[in-house]
Amino acid sequence: MNHVKTFNHDLWDHGISQGYSVNGTIYISGQFSHDEKGVFIGEGDIETQTRQTLKNIDQLLEEFRITKSNLAYVEIYLTNPQAHTEIVIDIFKEYLEKHRPAGSLIGVTYLAFPEQFIEISAIAHAD
């Protein structure tokens, strides 16, 4: 029997859940830089966008009663990887501390919002 749990922050409905857990594997939809009201923050600032995106991932992980140490795989999407990779990797390593999940950094032409530089999706596990 499958044990399924979903999480939605109810800020908008794009037809997907923000998080979906089945039998202890948690799939995290692409997160970006928005506040608790859904307002985009950090326009023109990759550091602010990255830190807020990671904060949003933490809040989603909390809903499943796990932490960043449960991240198994992370995909980081950047619209300008040539300019932003180094700072994003530095912030990401600071965020992870000693934990090292598998992952990919992918350059893309654009994301959902024109001002958006970064989006992060992930897979995590429950203990």
Side-chain angles (χ1 to χ4, degrees):
M1 181 160 112
N2 291 338
H3 177 70
V4 175
K5 177 184 176 186
T6 60
F7 169 73
N8 289 298
H9 50 45
D10 297 324
L11 296 173
W12 49 79
D13 181 5
H14 296 296
I16 60 172
S17 296
Q18 292 301 302
Y20 188 99
S21 172
V22 60
N23 297 333
T25 300
I26 299 113
Y27 302 90
I28 300 166
S29 294
Q31 301 297 301
F32 63 95
S33 183
H34 65 82
D35 66 14
E36 64 280 350
K37 295 179 182 168
V39 176
F40 186 86
I41 61 170
E43 185 171 350
D45 184 345
I46 187 62
E47 182 174 348
T48 298
Q49 288 188 32
T50 302
R51 291 187 188 283
Q52 183 63 45
T53 299
L54 293 169
K55 180 179 175 183
N56 292 345
I57 288 173
D58 277 343
Q59 290 172 340
L60 197 147
L61 293 171
E62 274 182 35
E63 292 294 327
F64 290 96
R65 296 182 178 9
I66 60 173
T67 68
K68 61 190 171 193
S69 66
N70 295 83
L71 291 170
Y73 180 79
V74 178
E75 283 187 341
I76 301 173
Y77 303 93
L78 294 177
T79 58
N80 190 347
Q82 294 83 359
H84 296 145
T85 294
E86 187 173 339
I87 190 163
V88 167
I89 294 299
D90 288 346
I91 294 167
F92 188 64
K93 287 177 9 183
E94 173 190 312
Y95 165 77
L96 288 173
E97 298 169 348
K98 294 184 186 252
H99 181 59
R100 295 294 184 262
S104 297
L105 189 145
I106 303 164
V108 297
T109 305
Y110 61 89
L111 293 163
F113 301 99
E115 63 273 17
Q116 185 180 353
F117 293 149
I118 186 169
E119 185 167 315
I120 302 175
S121 62
I123 301 172
H125 61 87
D127 288 331

